[in-house]
Amino acid sequence: MNMIQAINSAMDVAMERDSGVMVMGEDVGYFGGVFRATAGLQKKYGKTRVFDAPINECGIIGVAVGMAAYGLRPVPEIQFADYIYPGMDQLISEAARLRYRSAGEFTCPITVRSPFGGGIFGGQTHSQSPEGIFTHVAGLKTVIPSNPYDAKGLLIAAIEDPDPVIFFEPKRIYNGPFDGHYDRPVQPWSKHASSEVPEGHYTVPLGKAAVVREGEAVTILSYGTMVHVALGVVAENGIDAEVIDLRTLLPLDIETIAASVEKTGRCVIVHEATRTSGFGAELSAQVQERCFHVLEAPIERVTGWDTPYPHSLEWAYFPGPVRLGEALKRVMKD
Amino acid sequence: MADEAGRNLRSLTLHVPEPKFRPGDAVSFDDMVFPEAGSVARPSVDADPATMRDLPFTLIRVLDKDGKAVGPWNPRLPVERVKRILRGMMLTRAYDDRMFRAQRQGKTSFYMKCTGEEAVAIGAVEALHRDDMCFPSYRQQGLLIGRDWPLVDMMCQVYSNAGDRLKGRQLPIMYSAKEAGFFSISGNLATQYPQAVGWAMASAAKGDTRIAVSWVGEGSTAEGDFHAACTFASVYRAPVILNVVNNQWAISSFAGFAGGESTTFAARGLGYGIAALRIDGNDPLAVFAATEWAAERARTNAGPTLIEHFTYRVEAHSTSDDPSAYRSAEEAKNFPLGDPIERLKQHLIGLGEWDEASHDALQAELTDMVRDAGREAEKLGVLSGTGFVHSFETMFEDVFAEMPAHIKEQSEQMAEERRAAGV
């Protein structure tokens, strides 16, 4: 399966198992979603479980919170992460705090799916990576898969999770892994091991990172599309890096991260999102707090620049192989 | 500027609304003309909103100036139920009075009264089924009282004391009582409106029979959530009642700042194709009748209803507010729709079912009841003095179903810091 098919399969499995799982969002019903992630679901489960929504993110999230309070497990889709902002009050003030403020009387087991990230010439409003806004909110979990197997397992786990989960799908790798070499043809997922996806139910636990390449020289912390960029650079430069795919940003698997940096003594963090106050800052702070005595070089952050996401200058903005390669050289210098 | 291009255009002017009366002004509501009680027709509950376009611009009233219940909206309630509504309103006011005093005595940090608006909650909750789900704003404490929820439980929340089920996490009056069908109150205005619609959609999708009901003030109708809720309610014909409590004031801003100068709040429903009623919010029987109509409409899959309750916020916005700084004190006294408790009392007296003596006796009984509840609640602590009754670790609970490692770590860090500092 490619990533879209895996995500579609996850919703199918979750809906089959639990009649409380509802899918809603702009264009997700009859049409099956602008990225085809919900294709066929309405036909299979009916219009009262999979339905199109008005173009109103505040309403989509707000209604989902109410459905969750009723006892359902809504899986609302926000068409692009860039458009999640009108729903922010409902996410931050309501979904995230409902369990806490009602001392468990009401809960909000919703999973907000949303395509995110750049590398597709999406310009300013089809490329953003707003994960750092959500990891800053107490009460939300933030999950970002990097391959079809994880996407399905993590999405099922998110839907089954008793708390609200923000599930960001790197749309650049919906159809195949992308190593940042925009001038080369992209491989389809079918040539990648992680495209082996079981048909039925399985989960990938939230809060657990994956070491996708073991190494001794430096730890690279990444998620989403950047996992593939990191793997590509490491292979090209012959650096014995340990590449970690965080998979869940919150709760963070700091144990796996710290164990790796304890071993390597060096750490490079890579994400597409803008740098200042981005999630990389949190990662850097935590690694510094826990691994201060073993660090042999300053922690490097390779991120999007602190600008809105540009259209024509995409490849100068995107933290691709050149930028990550230079950072690795810097951190390996001594 | 205007003539710069030689076009001789008139300057534009910006209209900034201004209430009619400010502090010290003499108040006259003579220009407010209301339809006679009983004069508005009552359509069938499944009527097409397009056939009811006059309703948002009139005022449904049942109690006339002599306190008689008249017209097609008269719910013809058995006298015992009318007495129950009267009692609920009186208890709500007695509760408010005691908790307001408690705040002034420093026993809690904050309180909000609903004086003058008791009918809005009590009249409505009496018309709903016990298991219909309410998504209130912070000024519908009457819903809990009308559902006979224990006053002690409410008071414990206000005191954040040992009996507070919300563990001292929430600002006073932000109750949550799932068993009473009372959704957790949020400080963020109007967020509960689309949530109520979602709850109603869930109920409908599941083939349930329960409906959802929500309340916002007229000020909060300006929030985007109001638009979202109305759109979704209309699109999916959600079994929901959307109440707008138009008490004329949003803290210091009069209703004109929510768009009330140009039209009614009920009229907002028209644009969404939602059935909309505008009612005398100080007439408990009108509130009952409108809610009963809307509930029946929702229960028969005929769609949502928007109800504007025209009323007046008699007291301060909250214990942190002083309305004498922005409005004339005469307004509350002169408000032409009177006081809901007084009006229902006169109605019962007119029926020969009530008199001053029984009213005074009930008043005394309820005051004692609230006092006793107050004493019981205060035994479990008040915010000042015994404050901090909940153990520190509870602060870290319920952020998630299961406490993640980083929060556990912070809980331990707090304990360690306090140990080290000897506090």
Side-chain angles (χ1 to χ4, degrees):
Chain A
M1 291 184 196
N2 66 26
M3 197 113 143
I4 292 281
Q5 291 159 335
I7 285 162
N8 183 281
S9 173
M11 283 184 275
D12 188 5
V13 166
M15 295 192 81
E16 183 90 55
R17 284 167 64 98
D18 180 351
S19 65
V21 177
M22 316 279 273
V23 169
M24 57 183 286
E26 294 156 23
D27 306 298
V28 306
Y30 183 86
F31 179 58
V34 294
F35 291 105
R36 316 306 302 148
T38 55
L41 294 179
Q42 187 181 71
K43 198 166 182 202
K44 185 164 175 189
Y45 296 101
K47 286 202 295 183
T48 57
R49 290 189 65 194
V50 182
F51 52 86
D52 291 314
I55 303 175
N56 187 317
E57 290 76 14
C58 161
I60 291 170
I61 307 288
V63 156
V65 173
M67 289 179 148
Y70 177 92
L72 304 185
R73 285 187 181 266
V75 186
E77 175 185 301
I78 300 296
Q79 203 160 76
F80 287 85
D82 315 64
Y83 304 137
I84 203 164
Y85 309 122
M88 289 299 268
D89 190 33
Q90 286 288 345
L91 283 171
I92 295 176
S93 310
E94 304 294 319
R97 296 188 191 153
L98 192 51
R99 178 187 294 278
Y100 190 76
R101 77 173 197 232
S102 70
E105 268 200 340
F106 296 96
T107 61
C108 191
I110 66 172
T111 301
V112 182
R113 287 182 44 246
S114 192
F116 99 126
I120 57 151
F121 277 107
Q124 296 188 22
T125 56
H126 297 80
S127 307
Q128 294 169 37
S129 300
E131 67 275 13
I133 299 175
F134 296 94
T135 55
H136 190 57
V137 178
L140 295 180
K141 295 181 179 177
T142 303
V143 177
I144 301 174
S146 71
N147 62 67
Y149 181 88
D150 283 355
K152 178 171 176 181
L154 287 167
L155 182 53
I156 293 174
I159 293 170
E160 291 173 355
D161 194 272
D163 290 306
V165 180
I166 309 296
F167 193 87
F168 282 134
E169 301 165 3
K171 57 187 168 299
R172 184 63 183 82
I173 56 173
Y174 267 156
N175 294 308
F178 175 64
D179 61 8
H181 288 288
Y182 54 91
D183 45 356
R184 298 181 194 161
V186 175
Q187 298 291 312
W189 275 114
S190 55
K191 303 204 168 157
H192 193 282
S194 297
S195 67
E196 287 289 322
V197 177
E199 290 291 336
H201 178 273
Y202 69 93
T203 58
V204 172
L206 306 188
K208 291 267 175 278
V211 177
V212 291
R213 183 193 186 282
E214 290 190 10
E216 303 290 331
V218 54
T219 299
I220 301 178
L221 302 180
S222 61
Y223 48 90
T225 304
M226 301 317 294
V227 171
H228 304 283
V229 174
L231 288 171
V233 170
V234 166
E236 288 158 23
N237 296 10
I239 297 171
D240 187 22
E242 181 141 302
V243 178
I244 296 182
D245 175 0
L246 301 179
R247 300 198 292 197
T248 302
L249 273 51
L250 196 132
L252 183 66
D253 183 0
I254 190 66
E255 301 296 323
T256 299
I257 295 169
S260 175
V261 179
E262 289 287 335
K263 178 173 68 173
T264 63
R266 291 179 163 86
C267 181
V268 173
I269 296 159
V270 51
H271 62 58
E272 288 178 64
T274 50
R275 181 171 305 167
T276 303
S277 303
F279 190 65
E282 178 62 29
L283 288 171
S284 174
Q286 292 215 29
V287 169
Q288 186 271 138
E289 284 162 17
R290 280 160 212 266
C291 309
F292 182 73
H293 295 288
V294 303
L295 286 176
E296 292 175 40
I299 300 164
E300 284 270 349
R301 281 183 288 161
V302 182
T303 69
W305 305 116
D306 280 343
T307 68
Y309 204 108
H311 182 244
S312 70
L313 302 175
E314 172 140 63
W315 302 118
Y317 177 94
F318 187 89
V322 173
R323 293 184 50 206
L324 181 53
E326 288 304 308
L328 285 168
K329 273 189 229 158
R330 280 197 301 274
V331 85
M332 299 295 294
K333 226 169 14 197
D334 318 294
Chain B
M1 282 289 281
D3 284 335
E4 205 169 42
R7 287 181 294 165
N8 193 30
L9 296 175
R10 276 168 66 188
S11 300
L12 296 169
T13 60
L14 178 69
H15 173 68
V16 180
E18 184 64 28
K20 277 192 212 130
F21 314 110
R22 285 298 193 185
D25 288 349
V27 168
S28 162
F29 286 112
D30 287 349
D31 60 332
M32 252 189 208
V33 182
F34 300 110
E36 289 295 316
S39 65
V40 178
R42 183 180 185 277
S44 68
V45 295
D46 60 353
D48 184 337
T51 66
M52 303 184 273
R53 289 193 175 151
D54 50 332
L55 288 178
F57 299 100
T58 181
L59 202 72
I60 295 167
R61 313 178 69 191
V62 172
L63 292 171
D64 69 12
K65 56 186 187 310
D66 303 319
K68 266 173 60 184
V70 296
W73 286 93
N74 178 7
R76 298 177 189 282
L77 290 178
V79 74
E80 285 316 307
R81 288 192 77 187
V82 179
K83 283 185 182 172
R84 193 181 139 74
I85 293 175
L86 179 68
R87 183 182 182 279
M89 292 194 297
M90 290 169 72
L91 184 55
T92 303
R93 191 167 293 180
Y95 174 79
D96 272 358
D97 287 343
R98 170 141 193 134
M99 299 322 286
F100 177 83
R101 274 205 314 281
Q103 192 277 339
R104 289 296 189 248
Q105 290 164 350
K107 291 175 183 170
T108 187
S109 59
F110 183 75
Y111 192 71
M112 300 178 104
K113 300 172 91 171
C114 67
T115 311
E117 303 172 40
E118 291 89 349
V120 169
I122 296 290
V125 79
E126 191 62 26
L128 297 172
H129 292 175
R130 169 84 192 188
D131 55 1
D132 291 333
M133 189 70 191
C134 297
F135 289 77
S137 80
Y138 47 71
R139 223 183 288 281
Q140 280 83 44
Q141 52 267 55
L143 298 175
L144 283 171
I145 288 170
R147 281 182 168 168
D148 303 313
W149 193 248
L151 297 181
V152 174
D153 183 80
M154 295 171 68
M155 289 169 165
C156 288
Q157 197 282 326
V158 172
Y159 289 140
S160 283
N161 67 12
D164 175 16
R165 290 178 295 104
L166 307 185
K167 304 182 188 178
R169 291 177 190 153
Q170 271 277 49
L171 190 70
I173 66 100
M174 305 267 177
Y175 311 107
S176 178
K178 191 174 188 179
E179 249 183 88
F182 187 98
F183 186 70
S184 157
I185 295 178
S186 170
N188 295 64
L189 296 177
T191 50
Q192 77 278 12
Y193 235 42
Q195 291 164 6
V197 174
W199 197 97
M201 288 168 64
S203 184
K206 284 306 207 181
D208 198 341
T209 58
R210 296 174 291 166
I211 65 170
V213 190
S214 192
W215 286 260
V216 289
E218 90 287 347
S220 301
T221 63
E223 293 282 6
D225 299 63
F226 177 83
H227 168 65
C230 290
T231 301
F232 280 68
S234 170
V235 167
Y236 302 103
R237 289 191 205 158
V240 66
I241 306 175
L242 298 171
N243 292 287
V244 176
V245 184
N246 177 8
N247 66 12
Q248 320 296 325
W249 291 93
I251 309 185
S252 76
S253 303
F254 86 115
F257 282 100
E261 275 186 336
S262 313
T263 186
T264 70
F265 293 96
R268 305 272 188 244
L270 286 183
Y272 297 99
I274 294 177
L277 309 175
R278 186 163 179 267
I279 67 169
D280 177 347
N282 290 8
D283 178 342
L285 298 184
V287 175
F288 180 97
T291 306
E292 188 185 43
W293 185 90
E296 184 62 13
R297 187 174 173 83
R299 281 186 225 293
T300 52
N301 291 305
T305 304
L306 180 74
I307 305 176
E308 175 184 349
H309 302 252
F310 194 79
T311 180
Y312 188 82
R313 194 193 80 210
V314 171
E315 299 218 10
H317 165 71
S318 73
T319 49
S320 307
D321 175 46
D322 173 14
S324 73
Y326 52 80
R327 71 183 188 185
S328 172
E330 281 189 28
E331 272 193 15
K333 280 181 268 174
N334 295 1
F335 186 64
L337 295 179
D339 176 82
I341 293 177
E342 192 56 32
R343 285 174 68 188
L344 202 61
K345 173 186 163 189
Q346 291 309 326
H347 168 67
L348 278 167
I349 289 174
L351 291 176
E353 296 283 353
W354 201 242
D355 55 34
E356 292 293 346
S358 34
H359 194 82
D360 291 348
L362 178 59
Q363 182 69 59
E365 180 198 323
L366 296 175
T367 305
D368 286 355
M369 190 180 150
V370 171
R371 187 200 55 217
D372 293 348
R375 284 178 182 160
E376 205 181 317
E378 288 179 30
K379 275 188 215 155
L380 297 167
V382 292
L383 189 62
S384 60
T386 54
F388 292 147
V389 293
H390 296 275
S391 69
F392 298 133
E393 312 89 78
T394 63
M395 177 167 61
F396 298 95
E397 294 165 359
D398 300 324
V399 179
F400 296 100
E402 235 179 277
M403 195 183 294
H406 70 287
I407 299 185
K408 245 178 244 165
E409 205 176 274
Q410 289 168 28
S411 176
E412 283 155 16
Q413 183 185 348
M414 181 190 68
E416 184 49 46
E417 284 173 357
R418 296 186 69 89
R419 260 197 303 278
V423 294

